[in-house]
Amino acid sequence: MSAMTEPLLSVRDLSVAFHQGGNTSTAVDRVSFDIQSGEVMALVGESGSGKSVTAASILRLLPYPSASHPSGEILFSGKDMLKASEAELRAVRGDDITMIFQEPMTSLNPLHTIEGQITEILELHQGMVGDTARARVLELLNQVGIREPEKRLKAYPHELSGGQRQRVMIAMALANRPKLLIADEPTTALDVTVQAQILELLKKLQREYGMSILFITHDLGIVRRFADRVCVMTKGKIVESGPVETVFTAPQHAYTRHLLESEPRGEPPTIDPTRPVIMEGKDLRVWFPIKAGFLRRVVDHVKAVDGVDVTLRAGETVGIVGESGSGKTTLGLALARLISSRGRISFIGKDINAYSFKDMLPLRSRLQVVFQDPYGSLSPRMSVGEIIAEGLKVHQKNLSADERDRQVAWALEEVGLDPATRWRYPHEFSGGQRQRIAIARAMVLKPRFVMLDEPTSALDMTVQAQVVDLLRDLQQKHDLAYLFISHDLKVVKALANHVIVMRSGKVMEEGPSEQIFASPQNDYTKALMAAAFNIQAVRSEAVSQ
């Protein structure tokens, strides 16, 4: 980091307010910080803390005029961005200041090729077209680690993996050699191995370009590995700031200490091998045909799940881990009989693999699923009470309205929510509360087996820990069998008795949780562990100090 008398970016006394229907809410309250040239500064906090709103204010990307700035200034190279004209802002956006967002699939245009999207930036800001632009696009794709970039020029975003899409976003952000890169949760949606690769790539490019980075995240483990300085935000205010080592080793504010301590803790209960088997799959295979030619003949198969065995006993959690595309979710859907599969599936002693949709209906109440994104899985048009009661209407038709309402209230209490909130709608709840509602919807039917598909990956660290504690309590109280699907190994370690590591549809390694985490045997498992705990171990180290 080079020393400068004047910072590259200086945010002074910044406030952001939103106006709707005669009401005004303050999202950012008199925030101040500086970023020096060549420095990586992290802005850390939970969802709703004001991090992304602060970052969006720098480039004036908020929905004006419903958003306003009651106070403050944002000085970039001495110019106040809040007073800049539209022409001045257009000259800075994508040129001197660029931005990478959390989910590249929503940031990239699905109708344009990768080459077209990067070329557009070069043409707008540098007037670069034709062979010159193509050569620069190839150079950028090489820099961000896209293999065989010539073959990717005509690809569309949906044809790339999550990590490849994020690399394309980084290439677009670096196209004009910016002075400041704003990275808004750029690794949250990625697998641990890809996350580690993207962080290393950003650090390498930051050194090569000499640029500054404003890194926004809720994960303090990543911050210690990546940033020079950190500002901790909550409820629109910066409550602590300073060099990363100082903040981690001697946090002054209670909220910073709370964040440092917020990771799933505890150990899964010891499983009794004599407990009854709830769910069992033998030699499970899910193959999707690849068709080609005029007659659309099957020429090959995508072997999403290829000869997998899994057994779950009452009170046991089996963790399924692996990168995106490994077959984790497909395996869970097959066990729950939500997709077709080959092999044998036994549920509470019944062979259900040949069951029709009608045959499965009486068993559905005992086979439940909790999905990754509660906002997407809860109907926005139904109240919470209606959402939770929906399963009761299907599976327990003899219940009266009052009895159903009592069951809904019981389910909400079970997951730690006030039953009085059952008249509200999903958008009126936080992400963690919505996930509790999704769990309540499953629990109200008193299931024996629950498939949990990445139920914590969309949540902040503190909320993750709360949901893990809740799931553990519910399991012990109701003797549930969990199939816990995740790429987040620290959550799996806190919950799972037994771990299955999957890659390309096959089992790479499996065994008791403590064995897999303490002494992995397979090279792929070792790579997963290294990627996960190199990033996450620093948080535990800080807490222990």
Side-chain angles (χ1 to χ4, degrees):
M1 185 179 72
S2 59
M4 287 186 65
T5 53
E6 290 294 327
L8 176 68
L9 180 76
S10 184
V11 176
R12 287 277 166 266
D13 203 33
L14 177 70
S15 296
V16 181
F18 290 94
H19 315 278
Q20 187 174 20
N23 297 317
T24 299
S25 59
T26 301
V28 175
D29 189 7
R30 298 187 178 278
V31 161
S32 297
F33 61 86
D34 293 336
I35 301 178
Q36 301 292 342
S37 181
E39 179 181 44
V40 179
M41 209 278 282
L43 201 55
V44 176
E46 297 174 282
S47 298
S49 62
K51 310 183 303 293
S52 295
V53 172
T54 300
S57 298
I58 295 169
L59 286 172
R60 298 253 301 274
L61 297 176
L62 296 175
Y64 302 99
S66 60
S68 68
H69 301 286
S71 69
E73 57 183 9
I74 301 173
L75 301 176
F76 177 71
S77 297
K79 183 184 290 291
D80 190 351
M81 300 298 289
L82 296 182
K83 296 178 180 176
S85 66
E86 280 299 318
E88 290 172 325
L89 285 172
R90 282 196 298 272
V92 171
R93 291 171 181 158
D95 192 3
D96 289 332
I97 305 178
T98 56
M99 198 161 183
I100 306 171
F101 297 96
Q102 176 174 345
E103 178 43 72
M105 197 60 184
T106 59
S107 306
L108 296 171
N109 191 322
L111 302 178
H112 291 189
T113 64
I114 299 308
E115 180 183 15
Q117 297 190 55
I118 302 176
T119 300
E120 183 181 21
I121 295 170
L122 297 170
E123 185 176 354
L124 282 172
H125 291 278
Q126 299 183 36
M128 199 180 287
V129 294
D131 291 342
T132 307
R134 170 169 284 207
R136 176 62 175 151
V137 171
L138 287 171
E139 180 189 358
L140 286 163
L141 293 178
N142 263 315
Q143 280 185 322
V144 299
I146 296 287
R147 295 176 185 174
E148 300 181 301
E150 296 86 355
K151 295 182 180 179
R152 298 297 184 184
L153 292 176
K154 299 304 179 185
Y156 290 86
H158 73 273
E159 298 178 284
L160 304 179
S161 69
Q164 289 172 327
R165 287 195 291 264
Q166 196 60 287
R167 288 173 187 269
V168 170
M169 282 293 299
I170 294 170
M172 292 171 67
L174 298 180
N176 295 309
R177 300 182 181 275
K179 296 176 182 176
L180 174 65
L181 171 65
I182 301 171
D184 189 0
E185 300 272 14
T187 61
T188 301
L190 304 176
D191 295 322
V192 287
T193 49
V194 181
Q195 184 183 87
Q197 293 164 14
I198 294 297
L199 288 173
E200 289 300 323
L201 173 65
L202 283 173
K203 195 67 175 176
K204 171 177 171 286
L205 294 172
Q206 184 258 338
R207 288 193 296 265
E208 289 179 4
Y209 282 68
M211 65 184 173
S212 303
I213 297 180
L214 175 59
F215 193 87
I216 298 164
T217 184
H218 63 255
D219 191 333
L220 283 172
I222 291 176
V223 170
R224 188 166 189 183
R225 179 182 178 182
F226 188 69
D228 301 309
R229 287 193 309 114
V230 59
C231 292
V232 181
M233 282 192 79
T234 183
K235 298 178 181 178
K237 295 178 181 288
I238 290 179
V239 295
E240 186 164 358
S241 63
V244 165
E245 285 302 316
T246 302
V247 172
F248 270 75
T249 55
Q252 300 300 305
H253 196 275
Y255 180 72
T256 309
R257 293 193 292 271
H258 172 62
L259 278 184
L260 285 166
E261 294 164 0
S262 295
E263 66 175 3
R265 297 185 179 279
E267 299 292 332
T270 303
I271 189 65
D272 182 351
T274 65
R275 298 300 307 280
V277 173
I278 300 298
M279 176 68 76
E280 186 175 32
K282 290 290 185 184
D283 193 28
L284 287 181
R285 285 169 290 155
V286 181
W287 292 11
F288 297 108
I290 299 172
K291 298 181 180 181
F294 179 74
L295 298 176
R296 307 301 293 162
R297 288 177 174 154
V298 175
V299 295
D300 204 350
H301 289 85
V302 174
K303 298 177 181 179
V305 175
D306 193 17
V308 175
D309 296 341
V310 59
T311 301
L312 289 100
R313 298 181 181 276
E316 181 182 20
T317 299
V318 172
I320 311 293
V321 303
E323 297 173 290
S324 297
S326 61
K328 305 185 302 293
T329 298
T330 305
L331 173 62
L333 294 173
L335 284 171
R337 289 301 323 281
L338 295 173
I339 58 172
S340 298
S341 64
R342 292 185 179 183
R344 188 172 71 85
I345 300 174
S346 173
F347 178 60
I348 319 181
K350 297 178 180 178
D351 189 346
I352 62 171
N353 201 53
Y355 275 29
S356 67
F357 175 83
K358 186 177 180 181
D359 294 333
M360 282 299 301
L361 196 57
L363 299 177
R364 283 292 171 208
S365 64
R366 315 195 85 186
L367 282 161
Q368 288 295 298
V369 182
V370 177
F371 294 100
Q372 177 175 351
D373 179 12
Y375 201 68
S377 62
L378 301 177
S379 172
R381 295 182 177 86
M382 298 169 70
S383 70
V384 165
E386 290 171 330
I387 289 169
I388 297 172
E390 190 175 23
L392 293 172
K393 289 181 179 179
V394 173
H395 295 288
Q396 298 181 28
K397 297 178 180 178
N398 59 327
L399 290 180
S400 67
D402 286 344
E403 288 172 326
R404 267 199 313 271
D405 193 53
R406 280 194 292 273
Q407 292 279 5
V408 168
W410 168 84
L412 286 168
E413 286 178 340
E414 282 284 283
V415 300
L417 292 176
D418 184 353
T421 62
R422 62 189 182 277
W423 314 116
R424 292 161 56 185
Y425 288 80
H427 73 273
E428 299 178 79
F429 294 84
S430 69
Q433 289 173 324
R434 286 197 290 266
Q435 195 60 289
R436 288 173 183 267
I437 292 165
I439 294 169
R441 176 174 60 181
M443 293 302 159
V444 76
L445 294 170
K446 298 180 174 61
R448 297 297 307 279
F449 168 85
V450 183
M451 170 190 162
L452 299 152
D453 189 5
E454 301 271 14
T456 61
S457 63
L459 305 177
D460 292 323
M461 293 297 169
T462 52
V463 182
Q464 271 190 12
Q466 294 165 12
V467 171
V468 166
D469 288 342
L470 170 65
L471 290 171
R472 190 186 287 119
D473 291 344
L474 290 170
Q475 182 177 48
Q476 292 174 351
K477 190 183 293 186
H478 302 295
D479 210 22
L480 299 167
Y482 287 156
L483 185 75
F484 191 87
I485 297 166
S486 182
H487 63 255
D488 192 334
L489 297 184
K490 67 183 184 299
V491 178
V492 173
K493 187 178 181 182
L495 268 178
N497 310 96
H498 191 88
V499 174
I500 295 175
V501 182
M502 290 189 67
R503 186 183 193 185
S504 302
K506 290 186 176 293
V507 174
M508 294 289 102
E509 186 170 359
E510 70 169 302
S513 178
E514 61 272 17
Q515 175 189 311
I516 297 292
F517 283 96
S519 182
Q521 302 300 306
N522 184 271
D523 288 341
Y524 177 68
T525 310
K526 291 176 183 177
L528 281 182
M529 298 294 175
F533 292 104
N534 279 351
I535 294 171
Q536 295 155 4
V538 290
R539 186 187 304 109
S540 300
E541 176 189 330
V543 173
S544 67
Q545 294 171 347

